[in-house]
Amino acid sequence: MATPIAPRRGAGATGRRWLVLLPPLLLAVLLPRPAAALVEGLYCGTRDCYEVLGVSRTAGKAEIARAYRQLARRYHPDRYRPEPGDEGPGRTPQSAEEAFLLVATAYETLKDEETRKDYDYMLDHPEEYYSHYYHYYSRRLAPKVDVRVVILVSVCAISVFQFFSWWNSYNKAISYLATVPKYRIQAMEIAKQQGLLRKAKEKGRNKKSKEEIRDEEENIIKNIIKSKIDIKGGYQKPQFRDLLLFQILLAPFHLCSYIVWYCRWIYNFNIKGKEYGEEERLYIIRKSMKMSKSQFDSLEDHQKETFLKRELWIKENYEVYKQEQEEELKKRLANDPRWKRYRRWMKNEGPGRLTFVDD
């Protein structure tokens, strides 16, 4: 009776040992296995770049370059001539080309300090498989030109284009104002008072033609208009601070100024309950009208005075003013002959109606 009991105890002990060893075995199976140091598709593939060039890991740049030149001359497809007994990797023209490409890849890997550092790290830490892939392709796909330089050149080019475009618009506005009788007469009166037109007509040693005198007088009138008139909006005189480059450089300053201004606004008008000044009232009116600062500044002074008299910074007053403007616009359109013709055409021959004209 005692003999059959012994094997049962042995089987139970063996089973318990397997239960103890099972978690480590499962953990070993589930954990990723360490990758090999040389991976196909990375750098020199399954070949060691140092062995390809025939140098050690402690070789300097000069030694690596010298080994590359020797092997490149030997395996270059245009110069390769197989020698008797040559059993190297380039014993045929096709294999010589493959050997040349491998040598070039090894040299490209080892000549750059950063790439060589990544390659040495891969040889020393083969288990970090995905990290090696990331470093390899991040360096291969990285742009050759610094992105910061590209952004800087683009911003400068846009700023130059802005400046010349705005200056061209400003000159067009001055040329147009020089043809308007109101401004031209005033400019000519100022030029006569200052004696500029008389100087233009004076004959010196170099006799001027009528066209030259006329062009000079035109330039005098335009210069007077430039100095006397204040053009605002899209045709105003270009300023360097309005260019994109300077706006980017001054962005931190503008941001800080806006934060300080906003905090003062909240403190003075929301917390302390102060009354709005003229500047604050015009600001609220401009925001209600959804106009930019340049658009609002281009309005006439009497229009702004009307806004202040009607107290349009108050929301209810602005809504009444807006309704009045809409009604006035409808009346103007109703009395406009062109608008009447358009409505008549839409009613009789507009979209949704087919007509046949027999010529």
Side-chain angles (χ1 to χ4, degrees):
M1 296 296 291
T3 52
I5 297 175
R8 288 178 185 176
R9 289 178 179 175
T14 305
R16 285 193 295 271
R17 284 198 298 269
W18 277 106
L19 289 175
V20 174
L21 294 176
L22 184 59
L25 290 174
L26 289 175
L27 188 62
V29 171
L30 294 176
L31 285 175
R33 297 178 180 178
L38 302 176
V39 182
E40 187 67 36
L42 297 183
Y43 304 105
C44 298
T46 56
R47 297 285 305 277
D48 190 335
C49 292
Y50 291 101
E51 293 181 358
V52 171
L53 295 179
V55 297
S56 63
R57 289 186 61 172
T58 59
K61 287 186 177 181
E63 185 179 352
I64 291 173
R66 184 166 56 253
Y68 166 71
R69 287 194 294 269
Q70 293 176 356
L71 294 173
R73 284 195 296 267
R74 178 181 178 185
Y75 293 118
H76 196 283
D78 296 335
R79 302 177 57 184
Y80 176 72
R81 297 293 182 272
E83 300 177 356
D86 188 1
E87 298 179 355
R91 56 183 179 272
T92 63
Q94 184 178 1
S95 59
E97 183 177 358
E98 295 175 358
F100 178 78
L101 293 177
L102 183 61
V103 169
T105 303
Y107 177 66
E108 291 293 330
T109 301
L110 300 180
K111 75 174 184 178
D112 184 68
E113 293 184 1
E114 297 296 329
T115 308
R116 183 178 180 180
K117 188 185 297 182
D118 292 342
Y119 183 71
D120 291 341
Y121 187 83
M122 186 186 76
L123 295 179
D124 297 333
H125 302 84
E127 68 279 359
E128 300 181 15
Y129 182 77
Y130 297 105
S131 176
H132 303 324
Y133 263 97
Y134 169 75
H135 288 294
Y136 175 75
Y137 284 105
S138 64
R139 293 194 182 278
R140 285 179 62 90
L141 300 177
K144 303 300 181 183
V145 182
D146 194 349
V147 179
R148 294 170 294 183
V149 176
V150 176
I151 295 175
L152 180 60
V153 172
S154 301
V155 170
C156 292
I158 294 173
S159 301
V160 171
F161 175 78
Q162 279 182 329
F163 182 78
F164 284 103
S165 176
W166 291 346
W167 192 262
N168 186 38
S169 299
Y170 176 71
N171 288 331
K172 286 183 178 179
I174 295 298
S175 299
Y176 169 75
L177 293 175
T179 61
V180 177
K182 174 183 176 181
Y183 301 109
R184 187 176 185 87
I185 293 173
Q186 294 180 6
M188 291 183 67
E189 290 295 332
I190 295 173
K192 289 178 181 178
Q193 292 176 4
Q194 297 179 358
L196 299 176
L197 296 179
R198 185 176 63 256
K199 292 180 181 179
K201 294 179 180 179
E202 288 180 354
K203 297 181 180 180
R205 295 181 180 178
N206 298 326
K207 189 175 181 180
K208 297 180 182 179
S209 62
K210 293 183 179 180
E211 293 182 358
E212 291 176 348
I213 294 174
R214 186 165 55 250
D215 292 340
E216 190 172 348
E217 291 179 351
E218 192 70 21
N219 291 331
I220 291 172
I221 293 173
K222 289 181 179 180
N223 290 332
I224 293 175
I225 292 176
K226 287 180 182 179
S227 61
K228 296 297 181 180
I229 200 165
D230 183 18
I231 302 177
K232 297 179 180 178
Y235 294 94
Q236 64 184 359
K237 189 174 183 179
Q239 302 289 336
F240 284 104
R241 64 173 180 271
D242 296 330
L243 299 179
L244 177 62
L245 178 61
F246 289 90
Q247 288 293 318
I248 293 175
L249 295 177
L250 297 175
F253 171 75
H254 291 317
L255 179 61
C256 295
S257 300
Y258 176 76
I259 293 174
V260 172
W261 173 86
Y262 187 75
C263 293
R264 287 181 178 177
W265 182 284
I266 296 295
Y267 176 74
N268 290 328
F269 304 113
N270 292 13
I271 298 177
K272 297 185 69 175
K274 288 185 177 181
E275 292 187 2
Y276 296 125
E278 182 177 339
E279 183 179 353
E280 289 78 14
R281 293 172 181 176
L282 291 175
Y283 172 77
I284 296 174
I285 295 171
R286 177 170 67 84
K287 287 299 182 182
S288 300
M289 293 182 173
K290 298 180 180 179
M291 299 175 66
S292 64
K293 191 175 186 306
S294 59
Q295 289 175 333
F296 193 78
D297 291 341
S298 62
L299 298 177
E300 298 291 339
D301 293 336
H302 66 86
Q303 291 179 293
K304 297 178 183 179
E305 292 176 1
T306 304
F307 298 158
L308 294 174
K309 287 179 180 179
R310 298 196 57 173
E311 299 182 353
L312 296 186
W313 66 89
I314 301 175
K315 186 176 181 181
E316 292 77 10
N317 296 344
Y318 176 74
E319 292 296 334
V320 174
Y321 173 80
K322 183 179 178 182
Q323 188 68 25
E324 291 176 359
Q325 293 296 314
E326 291 177 355
E327 293 295 334
E328 186 178 351
L329 178 61
K330 289 180 182 179
K331 291 180 181 179
R332 284 203 304 266
L333 291 176
N335 297 325
D336 188 359
R338 290 177 298 179
W339 179 245
K340 288 182 179 179
R341 287 196 300 269
Y342 174 74
R343 286 187 300 172
R344 193 181 304 115
W345 176 82
M346 288 292 293
K347 181 179 179 181
N348 298 328
E349 302 179 11
R353 179 181 176 89
L354 296 176
T355 58
F356 181 80
V357 180
D358 189 2
D359 294 332

